[in-house]
mmCIF file of all heavy atoms in Angstrom:
data_model
loop_
_atom_site.group_PDB
_atom_site.id
_atom_site.type_symbol
_atom_site.label_atom_id
_atom_site.label_comp_id
_atom_site.label_asym_id
_atom_site.label_seq_id
_atom_site.Cartn_x
_atom_site.Cartn_y
_atom_site.Cartn_z
ATOM 1 N N ASN I 1 0.805 -1.208 -0.009
ATOM 2 C CA ASN I 1 0.006 -0.003 -0.003
ATOM 3 C C ASN I 1 0.839 1.262 -0.010
ATOM 4 O O ASN I 1 0.374 2.339 -0.370
ATOM 5 C CB ASN I 1 -0.937 0.007 1.209
ATOM 6 C CG ASN I 1 -2.036 -1.020 1.085
ATOM 7 O OD1 ASN I 1 -2.364 -1.440 0.000
ATOM 8 N ND2 ASN I 1 -2.578 -1.444 2.225
ATOM 9 N N GLN I 2 2.103 1.163 0.414
ATOM 10 C CA GLN I 2 2.925 2.357 0.505
ATOM 11 C C GLN I 2 3.514 2.760 -0.837
ATOM 12 O O GLN I 2 3.549 3.922 -1.187
ATOM 13 C CB GLN I 2 4.064 2.124 1.503
ATOM 14 C CG GLN I 2 3.624 2.249 2.950
ATOM 15 C CD GLN I 2 4.805 2.080 3.889
ATOM 16 O OE1 GLN I 2 5.840 1.572 3.485
ATOM 17 N NE2 GLN I 2 4.620 2.481 5.136
ATOM 18 N N SER I 3 3.992 1.837 -1.605
ATOM 19 C CA SER I 3 4.653 2.196 -2.855
ATOM 20 C C SER I 3 4.711 0.992 -3.774
ATOM 21 O O SER I 3 4.559 -0.136 -3.317
ATOM 22 C CB SER I 3 6.080 2.692 -2.581
ATOM 23 O OG SER I 3 6.834 1.633 -1.972
ATOM 24 N N PRO I 4 4.917 1.231 -5.072
ATOM 25 C CA PRO I 4 5.031 0.097 -6.006
ATOM 26 C C PRO I 4 6.203 -0.789 -5.625
ATOM 27 O O PRO I 4 7.222 -0.321 -5.059
ATOM 28 C CB PRO I 4 5.311 0.776 -7.355
ATOM 29 C CG PRO I 4 4.832 2.196 -7.165
ATOM 30 C CD PRO I 4 5.051 2.514 -5.727
ATOM 31 N N ASN I 5 6.078 -2.088 -5.869
ATOM 32 C CA ASN I 5 7.166 -2.988 -5.563
ATOM 33 C C ASN I 5 8.162 -2.938 -6.731
ATOM 34 O O ASN I 5 7.938 -3.521 -7.783
ATOM 35 C CB ASN I 5 6.631 -4.412 -5.381
ATOM 36 C CG ASN I 5 7.683 -5.356 -4.817
ATOM 37 O OD1 ASN I 5 8.788 -5.391 -5.315
ATOM 38 N ND2 ASN I 5 7.346 -6.042 -3.755
ATOM 39 N N ALA I 6 9.264 -2.202 -6.519
ATOM 40 C CA ALA I 6 10.245 -1.981 -7.599
ATOM 41 C C ALA I 6 10.840 -3.268 -8.099
ATOM 42 O O ALA I 6 11.043 -3.445 -9.309
ATOM 43 C CB ALA I 6 11.323 -1.041 -7.093
ATOM 44 N N ASN I 7 11.156 -4.201 -7.187
ATOM 45 C CA ASN I 7 11.793 -5.446 -7.582
ATOM 46 C C ASN I 7 10.885 -6.252 -8.501
ATOM 47 O O ASN I 7 11.325 -6.827 -9.505
ATOM 48 C CB ASN I 7 12.162 -6.294 -6.350
ATOM 49 C CG ASN I 7 13.353 -5.712 -5.613
ATOM 50 O OD1 ASN I 7 14.255 -5.156 -6.230
ATOM 51 N ND2 ASN I 7 13.365 -5.818 -4.308
ATOM 52 N N LEU I 8 9.617 -6.357 -8.157
ATOM 53 C CA LEU I 8 8.700 -7.122 -8.986
ATOM 54 C C LEU I 8 8.492 -6.455 -10.352
ATOM 55 O O LEU I 8 8.433 -7.136 -11.375
ATOM 56 C CB LEU I 8 7.332 -7.287 -8.281
ATOM 57 C CG LEU I 8 7.301 -8.205 -7.065
ATOM 58 C CD1 LEU I 8 5.925 -8.228 -6.476
ATOM 59 C CD2 LEU I 8 7.722 -9.634 -7.464
ATOM 60 N N LEU I 9 8.430 -5.126 -10.359
ATOM 61 C CA LEU I 9 8.249 -4.422 -11.625
ATOM 62 C C LEU I 9 9.501 -4.592 -12.495
ATOM 63 O O LEU I 9 9.378 -4.780 -13.709
ATOM 64 C CB LEU I 9 8.016 -2.940 -11.376
ATOM 65 C CG LEU I 9 6.584 -2.578 -10.836
ATOM 66 C CD1 LEU I 9 6.529 -1.085 -10.535
ATOM 67 C CD2 LEU I 9 5.522 -2.982 -11.867
ATOM 68 N N TYR I 10 10.663 -4.572 -11.907
ATOM 69 C CA TYR I 10 11.894 -4.778 -12.660
ATOM 70 C C TYR I 10 11.888 -6.182 -13.286
ATOM 71 O O TYR I 10 12.222 -6.336 -14.490
ATOM 72 C CB TYR I 10 13.118 -4.604 -11.780
ATOM 73 C CG TYR I 10 14.414 -4.876 -12.491
ATOM 74 C CD1 TYR I 10 15.016 -3.911 -13.280
ATOM 75 C CD2 TYR I 10 15.010 -6.124 -12.402
ATOM 76 C CE1 TYR I 10 16.208 -4.168 -13.973
ATOM 77 C CE2 TYR I 10 16.221 -6.385 -13.089
ATOM 78 C CZ TYR I 10 16.773 -5.392 -13.855
ATOM 79 O OH TYR I 10 17.963 -5.667 -14.538
ATOM 80 N N ASP I 11 11.525 -7.157 -12.491
ATOM 81 C CA ASP I 11 11.501 -8.535 -13.030
ATOM 82 C C ASP I 11 10.477 -8.679 -14.135
ATOM 83 O O ASP I 11 10.664 -9.471 -15.080
ATOM 84 C CB ASP I 11 11.159 -9.538 -11.890
ATOM 85 C CG ASP I 11 12.299 -9.659 -10.894
ATOM 86 O OD1 ASP I 11 13.429 -9.344 -11.247
ATOM 87 O OD2 ASP I 11 12.021 -10.107 -9.756
ATOM 88 N N GLU I 12 9.404 -7.917 -14.042
ATOM 89 C CA GLU I 12 8.340 -7.976 -15.046
ATOM 90 C C GLU I 12 8.790 -7.320 -16.383
ATOM 91 O O GLU I 12 8.493 -7.820 -17.476
ATOM 92 C CB GLU I 12 7.106 -7.295 -14.544
ATOM 93 C CG GLU I 12 5.925 -7.275 -15.530
ATOM 94 C CD GLU I 12 4.729 -6.554 -15.021
ATOM 95 O OE1 GLU I 12 4.673 -6.216 -13.789
ATOM 96 O OE2 GLU I 12 3.807 -6.286 -15.806
ATOM 97 N N TYR I 13 9.511 -6.210 -16.274
ATOM 98 C CA TYR I 13 9.816 -5.437 -17.471
ATOM 99 C C TYR I 13 11.197 -5.703 -18.043
ATOM 100 O O TYR I 13 11.454 -5.411 -19.219
ATOM 101 C CB TYR I 13 9.667 -3.926 -17.172
ATOM 102 C CG TYR I 13 8.246 -3.472 -17.177
ATOM 103 C CD1 TYR I 13 7.488 -3.469 -15.989
ATOM 104 C CD2 TYR I 13 7.604 -3.082 -18.345
ATOM 105 C CE1 TYR I 13 6.180 -3.070 -15.972
ATOM 106 C CE2 TYR I 13 6.294 -2.669 -18.341
ATOM 107 C CZ TYR I 13 5.563 -2.676 -17.174
ATOM 108 O OH TYR I 13 4.255 -2.276 -17.164
ATOM 109 N N TYR I 14 12.085 -6.274 -17.263
ATOM 110 C CA TYR I 14 13.411 -6.586 -17.797
ATOM 111 C C TYR I 14 13.381 -7.913 -18.551
ATOM 112 O O TYR I 14 12.861 -8.892 -18.075
ATOM 113 C CB TYR I 14 14.457 -6.676 -16.716
ATOM 114 C CG TYR I 14 15.757 -7.263 -17.187
ATOM 115 C CD1 TYR I 14 16.625 -6.549 -18.010
ATOM 116 C CD2 TYR I 14 16.124 -8.567 -16.850
ATOM 117 C CE1 TYR I 14 17.801 -7.084 -18.460
ATOM 118 C CE2 TYR I 14 17.305 -9.134 -17.330
ATOM 119 C CZ TYR I 14 18.144 -8.383 -18.113
ATOM 120 O OH TYR I 14 19.321 -8.926 -18.578
ATOM 121 N N THR I 15 13.946 -7.900 -19.766
ATOM 122 C CA THR I 15 14.080 -9.110 -20.520
ATOM 123 C C THR I 15 15.349 -9.035 -21.387
ATOM 124 O O THR I 15 15.651 -7.989 -21.937
ATOM 125 C CB THR I 15 12.859 -9.369 -21.443
ATOM 126 O OG1 THR I 15 13.148 -10.452 -22.316
ATOM 127 C CG2 THR I 15 12.547 -8.132 -22.272
ATOM 128 N N GLU I 16 16.045 -10.134 -21.450
ATOM 129 C CA GLU I 16 17.294 -10.175 -22.270
ATOM 130 C C GLU I 16 17.022 -9.949 -23.742
ATOM 131 O O GLU I 16 17.891 -9.578 -24.495
ATOM 132 C CB GLU I 16 18.012 -11.501 -22.063
ATOM 133 C CG GLU I 16 18.692 -11.619 -20.713
ATOM 134 C CD GLU I 16 19.548 -12.866 -20.619
ATOM 135 O OE1 GLU I 16 19.840 -13.487 -21.674
ATOM 136 O OE2 GLU I 16 19.931 -13.263 -19.485
ATOM 137 N N GLU I 17 15.780 -10.193 -24.135
ATOM 138 C CA GLU I 17 15.408 -9.972 -25.535
ATOM 139 C C GLU I 17 15.514 -8.529 -25.955
ATOM 140 O O GLU I 17 15.625 -8.209 -27.150
ATOM 141 C CB GLU I 17 13.964 -10.477 -25.781
ATOM 142 C CG GLU I 17 13.799 -11.984 -25.595
ATOM 143 C CD GLU I 17 12.365 -12.428 -25.782
ATOM 144 O OE1 GLU I 17 11.483 -11.543 -26.028
ATOM 145 O OE2 GLU I 17 12.084 -13.635 -25.641
ATOM 146 N N ASP I 18 15.499 -7.602 -24.975
ATOM 147 C CA ASP I 18 15.616 -6.204 -25.289
ATOM 148 C C ASP I 18 17.090 -5.784 -25.467
ATOM 149 O O ASP I 18 17.360 -4.640 -25.857
ATOM 150 C CB ASP I 18 15.011 -5.358 -24.146
ATOM 151 C CG ASP I 18 13.493 -5.367 -24.214
ATOM 152 O OD1 ASP I 18 12.931 -5.713 -25.276
ATOM 153 O OD2 ASP I 18 12.867 -5.044 -23.209
ATOM 154 N N LEU I 19 18.002 -6.654 -25.154
ATOM 155 C CA LEU I 19 19.428 -6.338 -25.341
ATOM 156 C C LEU I 19 19.810 -6.453 -26.815
ATOM 157 O O LEU I 19 19.307 -7.296 -27.544
ATOM 158 C CB LEU I 19 20.280 -7.283 -24.487
ATOM 159 C CG LEU I 19 20.279 -6.986 -23.000
ATOM 160 C CD1 LEU I 19 20.942 -8.128 -22.241
ATOM 161 C CD2 LEU I 19 20.949 -5.686 -22.700
ATOM 162 N N PRO I 20 20.710 -5.597 -27.291
ATOM 163 C CA PRO I 20 21.087 -5.583 -28.718
ATOM 164 C C PRO I 20 21.964 -6.777 -29.043
ATOM 165 O O PRO I 20 22.607 -7.384 -28.170
ATOM 166 C CB PRO I 20 21.844 -4.269 -28.854
ATOM 167 C CG PRO I 20 22.438 -4.050 -27.492
ATOM 168 C CD PRO I 20 21.395 -4.524 -26.542
ATOM 169 N N SER I 21 22.042 -7.134 -30.301
ATOM 170 C CA SER I 21 22.926 -8.174 -30.746
ATOM 171 C C SER I 21 24.317 -7.595 -31.002
ATOM 172 O O SER I 21 24.472 -6.571 -31.651
ATOM 173 C CB SER I 21 22.408 -8.788 -32.073
ATOM 174 O OG SER I 21 23.344 -9.690 -32.601
ATOM 175 N N VAL I 22 25.327 -8.245 -30.470
ATOM 176 C CA VAL I 22 26.722 -7.798 -30.666
ATOM 177 C C VAL I 22 27.568 -8.904 -31.272
ATOM 178 O O VAL I 22 28.749 -8.989 -31.031
ATOM 179 C CB VAL I 22 27.337 -7.284 -29.359
ATOM 180 C CG1 VAL I 22 26.666 -6.013 -28.874
ATOM 181 C CG2 VAL I 22 27.251 -8.341 -28.271
ATOM 182 N N VAL I 23 26.930 -9.776 -32.008
ATOM 183 C CA VAL I 23 27.667 -10.882 -32.630
ATOM 184 C C VAL I 23 28.592 -10.344 -33.705
ATOM 185 O O VAL I 23 28.173 -9.564 -34.578
ATOM 186 C CB VAL I 23 26.687 -11.910 -33.260
ATOM 187 C CG1 VAL I 23 27.445 -12.984 -33.994
ATOM 188 C CG2 VAL I 23 25.776 -12.510 -32.178
ATOM 189 N N LYS I 24 29.844 -10.729 -33.634
ATOM 190 C CA LYS I 24 30.826 -10.280 -34.613
ATOM 191 C C LYS I 24 31.630 -11.477 -35.095
ATOM 192 O O LYS I 24 31.743 -12.508 -34.431
ATOM 193 C CB LYS I 24 31.774 -9.266 -33.989
ATOM 194 C CG LYS I 24 31.067 -8.005 -33.501
ATOM 195 C CD LYS I 24 32.042 -7.040 -32.864
ATOM 196 C CE LYS I 24 31.307 -5.803 -32.325
ATOM 197 N NZ LYS I 24 30.673 -5.031 -33.390
ATOM 198 N N ARG I 25 32.224 -11.351 -36.260
ATOM 199 C CA ARG I 25 33.009 -12.433 -36.823
ATOM 200 C C ARG I 25 34.486 -12.037 -36.844
ATOM 201 O O ARG I 25 34.828 -10.880 -37.042
ATOM 202 C CB ARG I 25 32.555 -12.758 -38.259
ATOM 203 C CG ARG I 25 31.104 -13.201 -38.347
ATOM 204 C CD ARG I 25 30.716 -13.558 -39.756
ATOM 205 N NE ARG I 25 29.324 -13.959 -39.835
ATOM 206 C CZ ARG I 25 28.886 -15.178 -39.580
ATOM 207 N NH1 ARG I 25 29.722 -16.121 -39.201
ATOM 208 N NH2 ARG I 25 27.595 -15.476 -39.679
ATOM 209 N N GLY I 26 35.324 -12.995 -36.584
ATOM 210 C CA GLY I 26 36.752 -12.729 -36.614
ATOM 211 C C GLY I 26 37.486 -13.494 -35.567
ATOM 212 O O GLY I 26 36.876 -14.050 -34.605
ATOM 213 N N SER I 27 38.792 -13.570 -35.643
ATOM 214 C CA SER I 27 39.606 -14.364 -34.755
ATOM 215 C C SER I 27 39.752 -13.745 -33.368
ATOM 216 O O SER I 27 40.135 -14.405 -32.431
ATOM 217 C CB SER I 27 40.982 -14.588 -35.355
ATOM 218 O OG SER I 27 41.649 -13.345 -35.606
ATOM 219 N N LYS I 28 39.477 -12.441 -33.255
ATOM 220 C CA LYS I 28 39.661 -11.741 -31.978
ATOM 221 C C LYS I 28 38.393 -11.659 -31.141
ATOM 222 O O LYS I 28 38.356 -10.986 -30.115
ATOM 223 C CB LYS I 28 40.215 -10.339 -32.244
ATOM 224 C CG LYS I 28 41.592 -10.313 -32.895
ATOM 225 C CD LYS I 28 42.082 -8.891 -33.057
ATOM 226 C CE LYS I 28 43.465 -8.872 -33.707
ATOM 227 N NZ LYS I 28 43.955 -7.476 -33.886
ATOM 228 N N GLU I 29 37.358 -12.321 -31.592
ATOM 229 C CA GLU I 29 36.062 -12.170 -30.934
ATOM 230 C C GLU I 29 35.796 -13.191 -29.841
ATOM 231 O O GLU I 29 34.689 -13.301 -29.321
ATOM 232 C CB GLU I 29 34.936 -12.244 -31.982
ATOM 233 C CG GLU I 29 34.592 -10.907 -32.605
ATOM 234 C CD GLU I 29 35.782 -10.260 -33.275
ATOM 235 O OE1 GLU I 29 36.372 -10.894 -34.152
ATOM 236 O OE2 GLU I 29 36.119 -9.110 -32.942
ATOM 237 N N GLU I 30 36.797 -13.987 -29.507
ATOM 238 C CA GLU I 30 36.599 -15.008 -28.479
ATOM 239 C C GLU I 30 36.179 -14.408 -27.140
ATOM 240 O O GLU I 30 35.310 -14.924 -26.452
ATOM 241 C CB GLU I 30 37.877 -15.844 -28.298
ATOM 242 C CG GLU I 30 37.700 -16.996 -27.288
ATOM 243 C CD GLU I 30 38.982 -17.819 -27.137
ATOM 244 O OE1 GLU I 30 39.915 -17.599 -27.918
ATOM 245 O OE2 GLU I 30 38.984 -18.692 -26.256
ATOM 246 N N GLN I 31 36.853 -13.317 -26.754
ATOM 247 C CA GLN I 31 36.486 -12.665 -25.503
ATOM 248 C C GLN I 31 35.055 -12.202 -25.483
ATOM 249 O O GLN I 31 34.347 -12.293 -24.486
ATOM 250 C CB GLN I 31 37.437 -11.472 -25.256
ATOM 251 C CG GLN I 31 38.868 -11.869 -24.883
ATOM 252 C CD GLN I 31 38.978 -12.263 -23.440
ATOM 253 O OE1 GLN I 31 38.047 -12.337 -22.697
ATOM 254 N NE2 GLN I 31 40.223 -12.548 -23.036
ATOM 255 N N LEU I 32 34.623 -11.660 -26.626
ATOM 256 C CA LEU I 32 33.239 -11.187 -26.733
ATOM 257 C C LEU I 32 32.268 -12.350 -26.601
ATOM 258 O O LEU I 32 31.264 -12.241 -25.862
ATOM 259 C CB LEU I 32 33.029 -10.507 -28.087
ATOM 260 C CG LEU I 32 31.654 -9.941 -28.372
ATOM 261 C CD1 LEU I 32 31.266 -8.902 -27.348
ATOM 262 C CD2 LEU I 32 31.563 -9.363 -29.768
ATOM 263 N N THR I 33 32.557 -13.444 -27.247
ATOM 264 C CA THR I 33 31.711 -14.639 -27.148
ATOM 265 C C THR I 33 31.648 -15.156 -25.715
ATOM 266 O O THR I 33 30.594 -15.505 -25.234
ATOM 267 C CB THR I 33 32.213 -15.744 -28.091
ATOM 268 O OG1 THR I 33 32.242 -15.271 -29.440
ATOM 269 C CG2 THR I 33 31.322 -16.973 -28.012
ATOM 270 N N GLN I 34 32.811 -15.207 -25.079
ATOM 271 C CA GLN I 34 32.871 -15.655 -23.689
ATOM 272 C C GLN I 34 32.057 -14.741 -22.773
ATOM 273 O O GLN I 34 31.388 -15.200 -21.834
ATOM 274 C CB GLN I 34 34.321 -15.731 -23.227
ATOM 275 C CG GLN I 34 35.131 -16.844 -23.841
ATOM 276 C CD GLN I 34 36.565 -16.834 -23.395
ATOM 277 O OE1 GLN I 34 36.995 -15.936 -22.663
ATOM 278 N NE2 GLN I 34 37.333 -17.837 -23.795
ATOM 279 N N GLY I 35 32.133 -13.446 -23.094
ATOM 280 C CA GLY I 35 31.363 -12.491 -22.261
ATOM 281 C C GLY I 35 29.883 -12.721 -22.363
ATOM 282 O O GLY I 35 29.152 -12.668 -21.372
ATOM 283 N N ILE I 36 29.386 -12.964 -23.574
ATOM 284 C CA ILE I 36 27.942 -13.191 -23.791
ATOM 285 C C ILE I 36 27.523 -14.498 -23.140
ATOM 286 O O ILE I 36 26.458 -14.544 -22.485
ATOM 287 C CB ILE I 36 27.625 -13.213 -25.285
ATOM 288 C CG1 ILE I 36 27.899 -11.827 -25.893
ATOM 289 C CG2 ILE I 36 26.180 -13.643 -25.522
ATOM 290 C CD1 ILE I 36 27.724 -11.760 -27.391
ATOM 291 N N ILE I 37 28.317 -15.540 -23.270
ATOM 292 C CA ILE I 37 27.983 -16.812 -22.659
ATOM 293 C C ILE I 37 27.927 -16.707 -21.133
ATOM 294 O O ILE I 37 26.994 -17.189 -20.491
ATOM 295 C CB ILE I 37 29.013 -17.910 -23.075
ATOM 296 C CG1 ILE I 37 28.879 -18.201 -24.567
ATOM 297 C CG2 ILE I 37 28.792 -19.178 -22.259
ATOM 298 C CD1 ILE I 37 29.936 -19.141 -25.083
#
């Protein structure tokens, strides 16, 4: 009754699908791939 539940709203509205694609090709992209995984 005091205020919106911020944690629940965050869980409701946050989705990884909203994150951009940063897939790149090349021999130096291993760190990037590891970061995403």
Side-chain angles (χ1 to χ4, degrees):
N1 290 337
Q2 281 183 344
S3 62
N5 191 310
N7 287 325
L8 288 180
L9 286 175
Y10 177 82
D11 290 340
E12 178 182 350
Y13 282 91
Y14 168 73
T15 171
E16 286 187 15
E17 294 178 359
D18 285 341
L19 286 169
S21 173
V22 291
V23 176
K24 299 179 183 296
R25 299 182 181 277
S27 59
K28 296 182 179 180
E29 272 58 55
E30 183 179 353
Q31 288 281 4
L32 180 60
T33 301
Q34 290 178 354
I36 295 174
I37 293 174

